[in-house]
Amino acid sequence: MSGVLEVRPGDSAQKRLYVYNRSVLTPERYAELWEIERDWVVRLAAEHEERAPRFGFRIELIDALHDLLAKEQANPSGDERFLAEEATLDQFKTVVAEFAVDGLVESQSHIGILRRLPAKARMAVLRVLIDEFGCGNDDMEHSRLYRELVTELGMPADLEHYVDRAGDASFAYVNLFHWLADRAPAPEYFLGAYAYFEASVLYAFKPFAAAAKRLGVRNDRYYTEHLYIDSFHSKQMQTAIRALGEHREVDLAKVWAGVTLTSAVIAEATEAAVDRARKVPA
């Protein structure tokens, strides 16, 4: 994964944005990055914020988050059932390949949020990120776990291979967090997004873990690790929101926009990945 990613003629906006997020940019390319985000995520975030309930208190937002998570968990999609119960090994490998643009660089898109938060909120987020990076243990870094997964499946472990092949929805999944962490106009968007994400993984990764077990994949720790540790993570993200509120007034509409925007982008990425997998002969 040491190669330099490059933009090529004909690359989609999402692919270009993914490469730009991992590059040192010229002023011209930085301007293009802003233009892509303006036409995509800035517009979407504004729409989600406009639709957000007018919460009076933080606890109302947390209750709404729990309700959303409960509804999603109680109503798994057909794509999730297909992955858990039906996908062949080749179809599973297709899904793994789609999400490799995230898994092989797990949480690197989140780092920028740390400098934007007051101390207590920053420490809560950092406690989550420390786990994502394996607490300094090379063998437990989540990107390392993903490399072990793709290696067992007989797939390349270099990021460039997947960047050349991934679909736009997979790129958007990662690009969203770069914007949330680095360029969203307020950190509330990121805190809402990450509070949702860390809680939703507790059920969203179950179909992946089930598929890996059913197919006899040994290196499934990337999925199973998330199924127990993210309970702690979700509580830390709620702590971060509360800590920001101790520092200044929190814009709860922006927090909720982060929640719903992230839910939508992840659902689109999963649907696109499984749709590609379904086209692989069983």
Side-chain angles (χ1 to χ4, degrees), residues 182-196:
D182 290 316
R183 289 176 293 277
E188 279 94 331
Y189 294 102
F190 178 94
L191 295 181
Y194 213 23
Y196 165 81

Side-chain angles (χ1 to χ4, degrees), residues 25-46:
L25 300 178
T26 63
E28 292 77 17
R29 287 196 163 182
Y30 195 65
E32 185 184 358
L33 177 150
W34 273 81
E35 181 179 352
I36 294 170
E37 289 186 336
R38 181 199 64 201
D39 293 343
W40 168 56
V41 68
V42 173
R43 175 182 57 80
L44 285 178

Side-chain angles (χ1 to χ4, degrees), residues 159-257:
L159 180 63
E160 296 82 359
H161 173 85
Y162 300 100
V163 173
D164 285 342
R165 294 163 175 80
D168 279 354
S170 299
F171 289 129
Y173 179 28
V174 185
N175 291 337
L176 171 64
F177 275 96
H178 278 286
W179 179 79
L180 291 165
D182 290 316
R183 289 176 293 277
E188 279 94 331
Y189 294 102
F190 178 94
L191 295 181
Y194 213 23
Y196 165 81
F197 178 79
E198 291 296 330
S200 68
V201 164
L202 295 169
Y203 54 84
F205 268 26
K206 285 184 178 179
F208 293 84
K213 182 177 181 180
R214 176 173 56 81
L215 295 167
V217 178
R218 298 184 308 277
N219 287 293
D220 61 353
R221 285 192 303 169
Y222 177 81
Y223 302 120
T224 58
E225 180 80 3
H226 286 82
L227 292 180
Y228 78 88
I229 201 168
D230 282 8
S231 177
F232 166 74
H233 289 177
S234 65
K235 293 177 182 176
Q236 288 301 310
M237 291 313 304
Q238 293 182 34
T239 296
I241 296 169
R242 183 174 66 250
L244 180 61
E246 294 171 358
H247 182 75
R248 63 163 172 78
E249 184 176 356
V250 175
D251 189 329
L252 296 176
K254 288 180 171 58
V255 176
W256 188 250

